[in-house]
């Protein structure tokens, strides 16, 4: 059952219930997934997945949701999905689901000289994965209920250099974006993990994902029409799409800001 449906069926606006659903439906399954995959190379990493950790997560979740409602959303009874994501990031930052003892760190460094990023940033990477899954759940449910086109939450790809058509090329890899975001979380103290800032980041990610999906669909339809009416062949249709994109971008009479 997804988060939205679970909360609606409860017929109550209960922060503790929401925290429990987030733990059971997203966090706990992802912990198990991490233990099988991400931690396969690091068997010495210990995991907090007990009833005590669950209780602490729910308690902190309620605390930070109340904080948002009391300080920033006085006339609201419930926080939106982007703020739920931000609260989870903040709480998981405090709990630290995965941990390595000081002795194990020393032994690992002695054998390998350096702690790899996927181990150093494991808690931060985990919290971002949780955040993406929660937001994606809300978008999927909202799309289904309203009959809208579903678009997954994208992980932005870094841009590097302009090609001959004036477009920025990408290596098609979103790892750098996530790594930088995780590093920012890692080196931030708990007091500096601002809830509204992270809520805004995921609000913008959702908007970016929606616009990207619309552009991708429009581009695909354009490609289909060019082929259908014989304007292009399968060999040169991509070049034609690049040309159209370049002309739109550089046409001073075309407003694409909206």
């Amino acid at each position: 059952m997804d988060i939205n449906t679970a909360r609606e069926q409860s017929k109550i606006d209960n922060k503790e219930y929401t925290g429990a659903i987030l733990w059971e439906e997203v966090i706990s399954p992802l912990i198990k997934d991490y233990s099988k995959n991400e931690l396969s190379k690091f068997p010495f990493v210990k995991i907090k997945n007990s009833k005590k950790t669950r209780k602490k997560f729910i308690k902190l979740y309620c605390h930070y949701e109340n904080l948002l409602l009391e300080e920033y959303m006085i006339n609201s009874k419930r926080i939106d999905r982007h703020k739920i994501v931000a609260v989870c990031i903040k709480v998981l930052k405090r709990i630290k689901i995965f941990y390595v003892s000081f002795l194990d760190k020393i032994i690992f460094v002695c054998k390998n000289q350096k702690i790899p990023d996927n181990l150093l940033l494991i808690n931060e990477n985990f919290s971002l994965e949780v955040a993406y899954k929660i937001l994606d759940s809300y978008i999927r449910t909202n799309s289904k209920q309203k009959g809208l086109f579903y678009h997954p939450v994208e992980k932005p790809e870094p841009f590097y250099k302009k090609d001959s058509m004036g477009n920025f090329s990408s290596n098609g890899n979103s790892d750098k974006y996530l790594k930088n975001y995780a590093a920012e979380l890692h080196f931030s103290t708990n007091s500096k993990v601002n809830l509204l800032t992270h809520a805004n980041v995921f609000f913008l990610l959702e908007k970016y994902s929606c616009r990207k999906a619309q552009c991708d669909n429009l581009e695909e339809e354009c490609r289909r029409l060019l082929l259908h009416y014989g304007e292009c062949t399968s060999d040169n249709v991509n070049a034609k799409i690049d040309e159209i994109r370049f002309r739109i971008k550089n046409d001073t009479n075309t407003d694409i800001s909206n």
Side-chain angles (χ1 to χ4, degrees):
M1 182 182 294
D2 62 80
I3 301 164
N4 258 349
T5 305
R7 186 160 185 170
E8 289 301 321
Q9 289 185 0
S10 72
K11 304 299 182 184
I12 56 174
D13 185 22
N14 189 303
K15 302 175 188 65
E16 186 173 335
Y17 178 81
T18 303
I21 287 294
L22 290 169
W23 181 270
E24 300 297 339
E25 297 294 330
V26 181
I27 298 171
S28 186
L30 194 57
I31 290 174
K32 295 174 183 177
D33 183 60
Y34 258 57
S35 65
K36 293 179 181 178
N37 299 303
E38 301 294 327
L39 300 182
S40 59
K41 296 180 181 179
F42 313 113
F44 51 86
V45 175
K46 296 176 177 61
I47 305 171
K48 300 176 185 175
N49 193 17
S50 63
K51 291 182 179 180
K52 183 178 179 180
T53 307
R54 176 184 180 276
K55 185 176 180 180
K56 185 175 182 180
F57 172 84
I58 294 172
K59 181 179 179 180
L60 287 172
Y61 176 86
C62 294
H63 168 73
Y64 286 117
E65 182 170 336
N66 282 327
L67 185 68
L68 281 172
L69 290 170
E70 291 170 4
E71 295 194 9
Y72 304 110
M73 305 171 66
I74 299 174
N75 296 321
S76 299
K77 294 182 179 180
R78 184 183 293 186
I79 62 177
D80 59 52
R81 57 185 176 272
H82 309 106
K83 293 181 180 66
I84 287 175
V85 164
V87 168
C88 286
I89 289 175
K90 178 94 171 179
V91 173
L92 291 172
K93 167 75 175 174
R94 286 192 58 177
I95 291 178
K96 296 188 186 301
I97 296 292
F98 308 97
Y99 68 101
V100 182
S101 71
F102 183 70
L103 179 58
D104 284 329
K105 283 183 181 179
I106 292 176
I107 294 173
F108 185 87
V109 171
C110 289
K111 289 182 178 180
N112 302 275
Q113 273 111 41
K114 182 183 178 182
I115 297 178
D117 290 336
N118 58 336
L119 177 58
L120 181 67
L121 304 175
I122 189 168
N123 282 294
E124 291 73 23
N125 285 328
F126 177 80
S127 67
L128 292 178
E129 192 71 29
V130 167
Y132 268 99
K133 284 186 178 296
I134 292 171
L135 185 56
D136 189 72
S137 172
Y138 275 94
I139 294 173
R140 188 185 297 274
T141 301
N142 190 56
S143 300
K144 184 177 180 180
Q145 289 176 344
K146 297 182 179 180
L148 302 174
F149 173 73
Y150 164 70
H151 57 86
V153 186
E154 296 279 349
K155 299 178 176 69
E157 300 169 0
F159 294 106
Y160 290 103
K161 59 182 179 180
K162 287 185 178 180
D163 58 23
S164 59
M165 300 298 292
N167 298 310
F168 283 98
S169 62
S170 166
N171 67 350
N173 192 328
S174 59
D175 288 349
K176 188 173 181 63
Y177 172 82
L178 291 177
K179 182 179 177 181
N180 289 341
Y181 197 166
E184 186 273 331
L185 278 173
H186 181 78
F187 293 107
S188 297
T189 60
N190 285 323
S191 61
K192 291 184 179 180
V193 179
N194 188 281
L195 290 169
L196 295 183
T197 297
H198 289 291
N200 189 52
V201 167
F202 277 88
F203 166 79
L204 294 173
L205 279 174
E206 182 178 342
K207 289 296 182 183
Y208 162 81
S209 301
C210 181
R211 181 59 61 90
K212 185 177 184 298
Q214 291 171 345
C215 290
D216 288 345
N217 288 341
L218 184 61
E219 186 173 299
E220 190 58 37
E221 180 64 11
C222 183
R223 180 181 285 103
R224 187 187 69 80
L225 291 173
L226 287 170
L227 292 171
H228 178 76
Y229 290 104
E231 296 291 331
C232 296
T233 66
S234 57
D235 294 328
N236 64 3
V237 65
N238 288 333
K240 186 66 175 178
I241 292 291
D242 286 339
E243 180 187 339
I244 293 171
R245 190 188 296 118
F246 178 77
R247 287 169 60 185
I248 293 174
K249 182 179 179 181
N250 290 277
D251 186 353
T252 55
N253 296 318
T254 302
D255 181 9
I256 60 173
S257 60
N258 297 319

